Amino acid sequence: MEESPLSRAPSRGGVNFLNVARTYIPNTKVECHYTLPPGTMPSASDWIGIFKVEAACVRDYHTFVWSSVPESTTDGSPIHTSVQFQ
């Protein structure tokens, strides 16, 4: 799969999604790796969604999963983590 330009640039919130493919095979597991910038405080109410390109708002997601809160973080360091879509 070809890598998408989305994997090279941080989103507006500063989250950097890594190794984003241009397309994914339906009905397969998708592992989403991302990095939170230094100073970000992860929360149990954070989630990661998969959207169609033409999505008009945050409620137009195809599916989502709750992100995990890392057990420990080092202040001033980026947080590398992942979620898995079933």
Side-chain angles (χ1 to χ4, degrees):
M1 280 185 241
E2 185 178 330
E3 188 175 303
S4 164
L6 291 175
S7 62
R8 293 186 207 93
S11 68
R12 287 184 292 172
V15 177
N16 188 18
F17 291 93
L18 309 169
N19 302 320
V20 177
R22 190 172 295 281
T23 61
Y24 291 93
I25 299 168
N27 301 317
T28 61
K29 293 179 182 177
V30 173
E31 194 158 353
C32 174
H33 293 266
Y34 58 98
T35 301
L36 302 173
T40 302
M41 298 299 296
S43 167
S45 63
D46 293 339
W47 57 276
I48 305 290
I50 295 178
F51 296 79
K52 290 185 177 184
V53 171
E54 63 271 4
C57 71
V58 73
R59 291 180 296 213
D60 288 345
Y61 59 85
H62 173 71
T63 189
F64 77 95
V65 293
W66 297 104
S67 60
S68 59
V69 177
E71 292 180 22
S72 62
T73 60
T74 305
D75 289 341
S77 296
I79 300 168
H80 304 284
T81 189
S82 66
V83 296
Q84 189 172 69
F85 291 89
Q86 300 298 323

